[in-house]
Amino acid sequence: MFLAVLLTLHSWTRWAVVASLAVVLARSVRGWATGRPWTASDGGVARAWIGAMDLQLALGFTLYFVSSPIAEIARRDLREAWGAGDALRFFGVVHPAAMLVAVVIAHATWTWARRAELDRARFRRLALGGLATALLVALAIPWPSLSYGRPLVRP
Ligand code: HEM
């Protein structure tokens, strides 16, 4: 029961991550290209994105260390998990590691952007760091077409 609730929350929060990141990217690329001034809403959207990443990280850690049966098997021996089939390798090693790096890049990006003195530089930093995060998240999502894929939406 706890596992089902966590998986559903983790699956939905994925869309909060993807949507907030898409808005951050669109606004920052436009801000960088046009040189428009930074506004309070730009900061609000960026903070919402970081908040969604942090929530997803907390849910992911709870899955990984508390309730996921597949992660429990993988955690016993990560080296063995790596060679024990696609699903174990993905959910036991690749997905947690890649997503952890993505969250670190997201935080570093936001800190880097806030330190920029010019608005255009802030948009550029957010666009570049946001793009790196987006690539990593896109590569590490268990898309339904993969052999170990999961549904796009959980009821
Ligand atoms: C931005 C970060 C993340 C995104 C977008 C994300 C996305 C997802 C998605 C879409 C699923 C499939 C859920 C389902 O079955 O419907 C999943 C599963 C899972 N995630 Fe994440 N995740 C993220 C971070 C993490 C982190 C940091 C960890 C661990 C430290 C983690 C651990 C897991 C585990 C263990 C599962 C599979 C659980 C199971 O089926 O037993 N995730 N993740």
Side-chain angles (χ1 to χ4, degrees):
M1 174 67 185
F2 185 52
L3 173 65
V5 171
L6 269 181
L7 272 180
T8 301
L9 288 176
H10 197 63
S11 178
W12 288 350
T13 308
R14 164 251 315 255
W15 293 116
V17 166
V18 169
S20 56
L21 180 48
V23 176
V24 165
L25 271 177
R27 293 178 76 112
S28 51
V29 167
R30 203 169 65 86
W32 181 15
T34 62
R36 74 166 171 86
W38 177 268
T39 64
S41 336
D42 292 306
V45 170
R47 273 190 294 273
W49 165 49
I50 297 295
M53 297 286 292
D54 284 348
L55 175 61
Q56 191 66 327
L57 180 72
L59 292 168
F61 265 99
T62 314
L63 276 169
Y64 195 80
F65 291 105
V66 181
S67 34
S68 161
I70 195 162
E72 199 207 323
I73 298 170
R75 278 192 290 112
R76 281 186 218 141
D77 189 336
L78 290 184
R79 196 184 293 264
E80 206 178 295
W82 185 262
D86 290 351
L88 220 53
R89 184 189 306 128
F90 182 80
F91 288 112
V93 186
V94 175
H95 175 80
M99 292 306 198
L100 189 60
V101 173
V103 175
V104 171
I105 294 177
H107 273 275
T109 297
W110 182 220
T111 306
W112 188 42
R114 270 178 303 164
R115 287 192 185 148
E117 284 179 11
L118 301 175
D119 287 354
R120 200 169 203 156
R122 183 168 302 138
F123 283 126
R124 181 174 50 81
R125 290 177 182 190
L126 210 45
L128 294 176
L131 185 64
T133 311
L135 289 176
L136 210 49
V137 167
L139 284 174
I141 279 183
W143 299 107
S145 57
L146 300 165
S147 61
Y148 45 81
R150 296 290 173 85
L152 290 179
V153 180
R154 265 188 196 267

